Amino acid sequence: MADRVRAAFDAVPREGFLPRRARGRASYDGPIEIGHGQTNSQPWTVRQMLTLLDVRPGQHVLDVGAGSGWTTALLGHLVGPEGRVRGVEVVPELAEWGAANVAATGQSWATVEPAVPHVLGLPAHAPYDRVLVSAEPRALPQELVDEVADGGRMVIPVAGEMLLVVKENGEVGVTRHGHYRFVPLV
Ligand SMILES: C[S@@+](CC[C@H](N)C(=O)[O-])C[C@H]1O[C@@H](n2cnc3c(N)ncnc32)[C@H](O)[C@@H]1O
């Protein structure tokens, strides 16, 4: 899986998901501001999350907190043209910019849309084989667990810890994978 994630990073350079003034810092392994108090995530962290998520070609994936659209485009590369990635972003201006950044990669099967007020994720299109969450709630949101397909998995930072949530035969299993800090899930 690590090789496939590395190939996705090579295919989808971070530069295309940063404000013009920050593009020269794309190789910096830390979060970079994208406006509206939000960030393009640290590459090392994104790598860990995508490796844990174990995305397969052809899967249906939800990207919560799409921001710049970078993770949506990386996921698009991992699922390929037989798959479908839906990014959702709560800040309307970022949703528009992130959608344009993803469209510029030519991956028509990966899109970003604005969040529906008071709705977490995109339940209208659930279930998802994989759910990636790049903003942090204080507790695991049941609404997002409900959007994961049976046999599916979700990677989500909760209260400072990275969680891998796996659904198998209706049972939900949670394992912990280190400490991270994210912007809050609102
Ligand atoms: C770390 S940032 C962006 C990471 C992004 N995946 C990237 O590659 O640039 C997390 C994003 O989550 C968004 N966010 C926070 N709560 C959200 C929610 N309930 N639904 C959708 N997006 C949310 C923030 O506005 C922010 O843009």
Side-chain angles (χ1 to χ4, degrees):
M1 186 61 202
D3 286 352
R4 296 192 59 239
V5 172
R6 196 171 307 122
F9 271 72
D10 289 343
V12 184
R14 193 188 194 195
E15 280 87 346
F17 302 86
L18 295 174
R20 207 163 286 280
R21 65 181 178 284
R23 289 190 179 163
R25 291 167 55 220
S27 62
Y28 166 62
D29 192 17
I32 293 179
E33 286 179 18
I34 56 174
H36 306 275
Q38 304 302 334
T39 57
N40 171 293
S41 300
Q42 179 193 28
W44 186 84
T45 301
V46 174
R47 212 177 279 270
Q48 303 306 310
M49 292 175 84
L50 291 179
T51 301
L52 267 181
L53 199 58
D54 189 22
V55 180
R56 310 287 172 90
Q59 287 187 324
H60 186 205
V61 180
L62 175 66
D63 185 25
V64 179
S68 67
W70 190 36
T71 47
T72 306
L74 289 165
L75 289 164
H77 187 84
L78 289 168
V79 301
E82 307 302 319
R84 180 74 171 96
V85 182
R86 296 175 188 273
V88 62
E89 169 54 48
V90 78
V91 177
E93 294 87 347
L94 289 180
E96 195 180 338
W97 179 62
N101 292 340
V102 173
T105 69
Q107 301 183 110
S108 56
W109 57 93
T111 53
V112 174
E113 55 197 275
V116 176
H118 313 298
V119 175
L120 204 43
L122 286 174
H125 300 287
Y128 301 95
D129 302 305
R130 299 288 186 266
V131 177
L132 179 72
V133 186
S134 299
E136 182 177 338
R138 289 205 192 95
L140 184 61
Q142 186 59 43
E143 298 99 305
L144 289 180
V145 174
D146 290 343
E147 292 177 45
V148 178
D150 200 41
R153 46 172 65 196
M154 170 164 66
V155 171
I156 178 170
V158 175
E161 270 191 308
M162 192 62 69
L163 304 188
L164 171 63
V165 179
V166 177
K167 218 185 240 188
E168 210 65 68
N169 301 319
E171 298 279 317
V172 176
V174 177
T175 51
R176 293 162 199 285
H177 299 269
H179 294 270
Y180 294 83
R181 187 177 290 183
F182 273 83
V183 298
L185 187 79
V186 294

